[in-house]
Amino acid sequence: TDKEVLNSFSQYYEKVTAFVGSLNAKYAQWKQEKADAEGLKQQVLEMTAEQFEDPYECALGNEDSEQLPLFQFLKKYVETDFETKYNAGMNKIEKLLAEEKFVEAKQVLSEAQNTVIEANSFAANLSERIKAKSGLALELYNIMSDMGYDVGDEIIDGNPDKGFRITCQAGDEIIDFNTVNIDEDGRVIVDIDHTEAVGGTCKNAWPKIVKKLREAGIPMTDVTKNGNSILYSQNVQGTKTNKQQRAKLN
């Protein structure tokens, strides 16, 4: 009878129903894990695509400064292992995704994401540092130009993060700011090589220069020659060539 047939199949129906329910649950879990992994991967890719403007051009007020993604920006100015770590992680991630090991892929993606977050923070600090150094050099350039010197500038090793050299000339007097930089502790570094005009004296020129620098916020406290203060000593006389004068700074 129909009833006997249905009773015979009921146990198989229950098993198939339970199997289908379990299969649907596992399929839903698979889809969620896949979506989570692919979503996190997209987030990481977008983070690496963040654009950084050229901080030197920005300091000069150039609105058309070059825009570079994260790792290209870092590579332009410094050597880091951020990109190497990131690429190694992404290669592993692609393999895990192809094998549909989405949970393991998310774990590696989280590590890659942390690498990118660290790299972005480093890049942002680097950008601000270069802007500060470029602004310092530009301020010094303008001050010396306003004081009547013919001024030339040079980026050390073509990298503004390494500082600037600014050469100032008036007649046969040359003031060579051969290092204009800011150290890791935020202290201004200005190394000076001064060739005076024949018959000139350091004591006459430097108080005016230092006053202008201080007014611009460049914290120069003294200029020394052979261990003696040019600004405050009463007996310092200039010679034709005074080499490697270093500004003592806050």
Side-chain angles (χ1 to χ4, degrees):
T1 64
D2 291 345
K3 182 177 181 180
E4 289 173 327
V5 171
L6 290 173
N7 286 337
S8 297
F9 277 99
S10 64
Q11 58 178 315
Y12 301 108
Y13 177 79
E14 291 172 359
K15 289 181 179 179
V16 171
T17 300
F19 174 76
V20 171
S22 176
L23 179 61
N24 286 335
K26 288 187 178 295
Y27 180 55
Q29 180 183 358
W30 178 89
K31 288 199 298 183
Q32 187 61 55
E33 290 174 350
K34 182 175 186 291
D36 290 345
E38 292 177 344
L40 182 56
K41 177 186 173 183
Q42 185 60 34
Q43 288 180 30
V44 173
L45 292 175
E46 289 174 359
M47 289 170 64
T48 62
E50 181 177 347
Q51 299 286 311
F52 289 83
E53 62 186 355
D54 187 309
Y56 173 66
E57 293 294 332
C58 182
L60 297 180
N62 185 355
E63 296 180 356
D64 299 322
S65 61
E66 183 181 19
Q67 301 280 323
L68 293 174
L70 174 62
F71 292 126
Q72 287 185 37
F73 173 78
L74 290 175
K75 189 179 294 184
K76 181 175 181 178
Y77 294 112
V78 292
E79 292 183 9
T80 69
D81 63 350
F82 289 124
E83 187 174 15
T84 300
K85 288 171 61 178
Y86 170 80
N87 287 336
M90 292 304 288
N91 289 336
K92 187 176 180 180
I93 288 161
E94 293 299 338
K95 185 173 183 296
L96 290 170
L97 290 176
E99 295 172 352
E100 297 188 356
K101 296 179 179 179
F102 302 122
V103 175
E104 293 92 331
K106 275 187 65 178
Q107 292 174 346
V108 182
L109 273 164
S110 293
E111 295 173 4
Q113 185 180 43
N114 288 335
T115 297
V116 176
I117 290 172
E118 187 179 355
N120 265 303
S121 177
F122 183 91
N125 290 333
L126 173 65
S127 179
E128 291 304 312
R129 191 167 71 228
I130 292 176
K131 286 178 184 177
K133 294 178 180 185
S134 302
L136 170 67
L138 179 63
E139 193 69 53
L140 201 153
Y141 181 104
N142 289 335
I143 288 170
M144 298 305 290
S145 179
D146 290 344
M147 293 185 70
Y149 289 87
D150 292 325
V151 185
D153 65 288
E154 175 186 346
I155 301 173
I156 296 176
D157 294 336
N159 186 346
D161 190 41
K162 294 185 178 181
F164 297 80
R165 178 183 179 186
I166 297 176
T167 304
C168 314
Q169 186 166 359
D172 56 353
E173 178 191 10
I174 299 174
I175 300 175
D176 186 356
F177 297 91
N178 49 27
T179 302
V180 178
N181 206 345
I182 300 174
D183 69 13
E184 293 181 356
D185 296 321
R187 292 176 299 194
V188 175
I189 303 293
V190 182
D191 286 335
I192 303 165
D193 190 346
H194 184 191
T195 303
E196 288 191 271
V198 176
T201 62
C202 294
K203 192 173 180 59
N204 290 337
W206 278 106
K208 298 176 184 177
I209 295 173
V210 170
K211 183 175 182 293
K212 291 288 186 181
L213 296 179
R214 288 175 179 169
E215 289 173 351
I218 301 174
M220 184 175 287
T221 57
D222 196 4
V223 178
T224 61
K225 183 186 76 173
N226 300 326
N228 296 314
S229 171
I230 293 172
L231 298 180
Y232 305 114
S233 173
Q234 299 300 312
N235 299 312
V236 175
Q237 293 296 323
T239 57
K240 183 176 181 181
T241 303
N242 303 314
K243 292 293 184 180
Q244 290 305 318
Q245 301 174 77
R246 183 179 179 85
K248 290 184 177 179
L249 306 164
N250 290 328

